[in-house]
Amino acid sequence: VFRAKLDDVESLSYGKGAKKQRGTGSRHVCHRLNMQERKLYDLAKRSGFLTVRGTGYRKERKGSPICNTYRQRCDALDEVCIIIEKRMECDTVLIDFSTLRVMDDTEYASSVVENILKVKYPDLVYDDSTIHSKQIDWEAVRTKPIWDVNERIIKVDCARDEAKAIALEVWNESSNFVE
C-alpha cells in the first residue's frame, strides 16, 4: 500500500519537496501551511483531531492546505482522520476512514455509529452515505497517494462542545481498529 512517510509530510507542510518517496506531494494539491495553520496543525498533532474555521479553504491557495496536510499525516500514521469544521450555527465533525487504507471499512464505520453516535448522541443526525454508496477503489488505495483516494466520511452536525467530545470519543474508539 502506498503511504507517505511522516518526514515527507512534515517537509511538504513547509513547502519543501518529499525526500524519501516520489509522488507524495503534488503541485495541484496545496500542502504548505502558513503560520496560523501551522499552530492549528501542531495542536491537531497533540489532540488527535484538527479544528478549522469553516472548511479551512484558502482562496489564494485554491484549496485547504491544512486539511490536505493533516489527512496526509493521518494516512502516514495509519489513523482515522478527524476534522472539526467550526461554523456559526453548528459545527461539523468529519470522520474519514480512507486514511486506514483497508479493503472494507464498514466494520470501523459501524463501530463508530453503534458505539458512539447511537449510544451517546441519539438525537444527532449523521450522514454516512459515502461509506455505503461508494465501493472502495482498491487499486487506487493500494497504489496512489491519499489525495488521489476518495474520502470515506461520516459527517455529523452538532454543537461545539459535542463536536469536541465526539472527536475525542472517535479518536479513542479508533485505537481499537486493528487490521
Side-chain angles (χ1 to χ4, degrees):
V1 172
F2 183 100
R3 278 195 195 279
K5 305 286 185 259
L6 197 54
D7 292 347
D8 288 342
V9 174
E10 291 299 318
S11 186
L12 289 169
S13 77
Y14 285 99
K16 300 174 184 163
K19 293 175 178 66
K20 296 192 169 110
Q21 193 167 18
R22 291 192 45 77
T24 301
S26 170
R27 291 183 202 259
H28 305 292
V29 178
C30 49
H31 298 285
R32 184 184 311 154
L33 305 178
N34 63 25
M35 285 189 333
Q36 182 182 7
E37 290 166 332
R38 171 81 40 209
K39 289 177 187 171
L40 293 173
Y41 180 67
D42 289 340
L43 183 63
K45 289 193 293 190
R46 289 191 300 274
S47 65
F49 59 90
L50 174 68
T51 304
V52 293
R53 190 167 11 143
T55 60
Y57 182 83
R58 259 203 294 153
K59 188 171 65 176
E60 62 274 6
R61 299 292 298 152
K62 294 187 173 72
S64 176
I66 186 143
C67 293
N68 295 337
T69 302
Y70 185 70
R71 184 172 182 235
Q72 198 160 25
R73 176 184 168 74
C74 292
D75 179 48
L77 295 172
D78 191 15
E79 297 174 345
V80 171
C81 180
I82 306 165
I83 299 175
I84 298 175
E85 296 178 344
K86 296 192 296 188
R87 302 177 188 278
M88 296 291 267
E89 316 81 45
C90 70
D91 291 357
T92 301
V93 180
L94 302 173
I95 308 159
D96 184 0
F97 296 89
S98 65
T99 53
L100 297 175
R101 294 195 183 240
V102 293
M103 286 185 90
D104 184 12
D105 58 10
T106 53
E107 176 187 338
Y108 305 126
S110 59
S111 169
V112 167
V113 169
E114 297 299 326
N115 298 338
I116 298 171
L117 298 178
K118 285 187 177 177
V119 172
K120 298 178 181 174
Y121 305 95
D123 298 335
L124 291 181
V125 177
Y126 59 89
D127 176 13
D128 60 354
S129 59
T130 62
I131 302 288
H132 299 295
S133 64
K134 292 182 186 175
Q135 289 291 326
I136 294 176
D137 179 359
W138 183 240
E139 188 58 29
V141 168
R142 265 186 345 89
T143 60
K144 304 215 181 217
I146 196 65
W147 42 262
D148 216 8
V149 174
N150 291 332
E151 294 174 323
R152 311 264 307 156
I153 290 180
I154 294 178
K155 179 180 173 183
V156 184
D157 291 326
C158 56
R160 184 142 309 154
D161 54 336
E162 287 176 318
K164 288 188 177 184
I166 290 170
L168 284 171
E169 289 174 28
V170 170
W171 175 248
N172 291 332
E173 179 74 18
S174 71
S175 65
N176 299 326
F177 298 168
V178 180
E179 184 60 20

